[in-house]
Amino acid sequence: MSFGDGLLLIGWVVLGYYILVNGVYLVVHVTALYGLRDDIKKQTTRTLFQQFSSPFFPGVTVVVPAYNEEAVIVENVQSLLNLNYPETEIIVVNDGSEGLC
């Protein structure tokens, strides 16, 4: 085997390695694109309120002033308690009315 044949063999080995590595990268990228496409489809079909189900979503505190609202305060607080947040705190403040105790 001559020196030129050795260099040719090394060139073919390097070319084969290059084709193998880039072929693997191509398969990985195509697979990732299909996974990304599926994630985007799931994200667009998800309802708006599902994002609030994360435990990392911050809680909410609502301060409700109640001045002469004894007739509707129960319904208002029930409505506020039905908010779709992971942690909700409702504070009703009586700001001087006579009907709330």
Side-chain angles (χ1 to χ4, degrees):
M1 179 187 265
S2 69
F3 183 72
D5 291 339
L7 285 178
L8 186 61
L9 179 64
I10 291 173
W12 281 109
V13 169
V14 169
L15 180 64
Y17 176 76
Y18 174 80
I19 290 172
L20 177 70
V21 167
N22 284 304
V24 169
Y25 285 154
L26 179 65
V27 169
V28 167
H29 281 97
V30 169
T31 305
L33 284 174
Y34 279 113
L36 181 63
R37 184 187 66 174
D38 292 342
D39 286 345
I40 289 173
K41 282 183 183 178
K42 287 178 188 175
Q43 196 172 32
T44 56
T45 59
R46 192 171 55 175
T47 63
L48 178 65
F49 294 111
Q50 285 178 340
Q51 64 184 342
F52 296 134
S53 63
S54 170
F56 301 109
F57 202 77
V60 173
T61 299
V62 180
V63 179
V64 181
Y67 182 76
N68 293 332
E69 295 193 28
E70 59 273 357
V72 293
I73 193 68
V74 174
E75 291 86 6
N76 288 340
V77 172
Q78 286 296 330
S79 175
L80 290 170
L81 288 173
N82 289 330
L83 290 174
N84 194 16
Y85 282 92
E87 198 172 318
T88 306
E89 181 180 15
I90 310 296
I91 300 173
V92 179
V93 178
N94 182 1
D95 55 356
S97 63
E98 298 292 327
L100 288 174
C101 298

